[in-house]
Amino acid sequence: MSAVSYADVGGVNVSTWHYIDGARVPSPDSFPVLSPIDQREIAQVASGTAAEVSLAVSAAEAAFDDWAALGARGRAEYLYRLADLIDANVESLAIVECEDAGMMLRPLRAYVAAFGAVNFRAFADMALAQTETGWSYNGSKVRVQRMPAGPVGIITSWNAPIVISTWKLAPALAAGCTVVLKPSEWAPLTCSMIADLAGEAGIPAGVLNVVQGLGREVGEALAADERLTRLSFTGSSRTGRAVGQTAANNMVPCTIEAGGKSPLVVFADADLDAAAKTAAFQYDDAGQMCIAGSRLLVEESVAAEFLTLLGKHTDAHVVGNPRDPETTVPPLIHPDHLARVSGFVERAVAQGDTLLRGGRSLGGLLYEPTLIKPRSNDAEIVQEEVFGPVLTIQTFSDEDEAVRLANSTRYGLAGMVFTRSADRAERVGRAIRSGIVWVNAFNLRDASAPFGGRGMSGVGREGGQYALDFYSDLKALYIKEDTTYED
């Protein structure tokens, strides 16, 4: 039976049907959305199939020519209006994202939900700033022109749905593409709200479509649709690999932002308290951050002092209800994910790794901050992404060993280096093989900078000009210089 058209989520009415061609569309079946806070059902959401995906892609295809023809300035007017509406609805978006994804309400209200507006304004500005490049070659004028790629598919994850979905939607729409968005079935509701705000902003029907449903039905059907010109995915490495294979079959360029197992490297000359505070911050959002520095690598001579400081900052965490402004470690997203996280810890202990703190479920979907000293660098807990409040700690003797350990996994999304040496910061920052390295900092994100990873962390780059390039086809136009034209 189809879901009802709206659900009351924390006092906010949220549409539970698909958004296709500017209208709400039901499905015969629905799936429940459970709040991570108390595992209570908060909505029954329309469960799409290949039929709804096809309908949405057809709508995106039909809307593409007119949207592309608007040019960067015409599209920017719509995106600025959408950004204004997101700003005006931050409170509602924050409440729903807290209930739906279990994210902490205080930062959602303060700045996280507003990142959606930041993304739309930033990419509209960047698209407006683009200019054609040109030169003379062998008697001809050469110009490089940009063409919007066409209808695109976007598949997003359940952690930080507002931030991640708008991070992808904004450059796609700014570049002139039309979009079919598939949100995660574990946290789809704020993506539905963004679709309504897009309609309120006047974005034409078919330009932005949202199809909800299970990954094995909607995600697979979207990735396989031959009419799409681009695919962008954020999620697990395993699913990202499948999406990439499907895209390759259709000769469709894709970006894949997948897992991370990032190193946080602390040298003896670092501000140890700042490093330990940043390390403890990796437990925020229950460690459900792809960029989290989950592998602590600390120089041997300061390891004991660092552990003491880390303990102090970890003790300051509050595990609890994300509605509570004091909470810093909210629940995990889903019972299946809790089982995954606890399974990693249980296997680590069984295999001989040392549990230094934590390692217990605290009821519901809460899991306490956990620190493990692995028996070796080959341990599963070191090499595989846990995506929970679980860190490992290892020591190194010199800079070469620090770099070797930092680069010793299949992942390469992010890294952190703490040192007071400018020379070392430059050397190690360059030597760590990942898409992002922060020195004496964490989670600085400039919309104009590239974002993405290597290895099992993904393919391609998002952000800035790199994203606009991805959603565009480039054309070299040669015009013979001595041609006489009658008009």
Side-chain angles (χ1 to χ4, degrees), residues 47-358:
S47 187
T49 65
E52 287 85 359
V53 170
S54 182
L55 188 66
V57 175
S58 293
E61 198 174 34
F64 170 68
D65 286 342
D66 288 344
W67 182 248
L70 285 175
R73 187 160 300 280
R75 295 189 292 269
E77 292 178 5
Y78 288 106
L79 300 186
Y80 292 145
R81 286 203 292 271
L82 176 53
D84 290 343
L85 287 168
I86 291 173
D87 279 338
N89 287 274
V90 159
E91 177 68 10
S92 295
L93 288 163
I95 289 170
V96 174
E97 190 120 310
C98 176
E99 298 292 324
D100 190 25
M103 296 184 67
M104 294 177 291
L105 184 57
R106 178 180 50 79
L108 280 165
R109 280 174 166 156
Y111 57 89
V112 174
F115 269 122
V118 170
N119 286 335
F120 281 112
R121 290 194 186 99
F123 284 103
D125 288 346
M126 283 184 267
L128 282 172
Q130 288 183 325
T131 57
E132 287 188 3
T133 58
W135 60 91
S136 294
Y137 173 75
N138 199 21
S140 293
K141 292 180 180 178
V142 185
R143 294 210 309 274
V144 178
Q145 298 181 325
R146 284 175 193 281
M147 303 176 294
V152 304
I154 293 175
I155 302 172
T156 59
S157 60
W158 46 260
N159 61 317
I162 294 171
V163 173
I164 293 174
S165 64
T166 59
W167 176 247
K168 295 174 181 289
L169 288 171
L173 296 174
C177 297
T178 53
V179 178
V180 179
L181 169 65
K182 191 274 181 197
S184 168
E185 57 265 37
W186 282 358
L189 298 179
T190 46
C191 288
S192 180
M193 295 174 71
I194 289 169
D196 279 334
L197 294 178
E200 190 177 341
I203 291 178
V207 171
L208 171 58
N209 307 274
V210 178
V211 181
Q212 300 152 150
L214 306 182
R216 63 179 179 272
E217 295 172 359
V218 173
E220 289 182 10
L222 183 61
D225 197 300
E226 295 180 349
R227 294 171 292 174
L228 297 179
T229 63
R230 299 289 189 275
L231 277 172
S232 182
F233 168 84
T234 294
S236 71
S237 299
R238 178 179 57 81
T239 305
R241 178 183 287 171
V243 169
Q245 289 171 343
T246 301
N249 288 339
N250 292 335
M251 298 289 285
V252 172
C254 66
T255 60
I256 297 171
E257 197 273 282
K261 196 69 179 176
S262 302
L264 191 158
V265 185
V266 182
F267 287 95
D269 65 350
D271 180 335
L272 291 184
D273 190 65
K277 186 175 183 179
T278 302
F281 185 77
Q282 309 308 301
Y283 292 124
D284 272 39
D285 284 321
Q288 297 172 134
M289 301 180 288
C290 58
I291 55 174
S294 57
R295 291 186 295 133
L296 310 181
L297 307 177
V298 184
E299 194 160 358
E300 288 173 354
S301 61
V302 294
E305 182 181 357
F306 177 85
L307 267 174
T308 298
L309 293 167
L310 176 61
K312 178 190 74 171
H313 290 297
T314 302
D315 288 342
H317 274 300
V318 177
V319 183
N321 190 319
R323 302 187 195 105
D324 186 335
E326 300 302 313
T327 293
T328 56
V329 182
L332 295 168
I333 183 70
H334 192 274
D336 290 351
H337 193 55
L338 172 62
R340 170 185 164 82
V341 171
S342 60
F344 269 106
V345 175
E346 289 163 8
R347 288 193 301 276
V349 172
Q351 292 164 5
D353 300 329
T354 302
L355 184 65
L356 298 181
R357 73 175 297 152

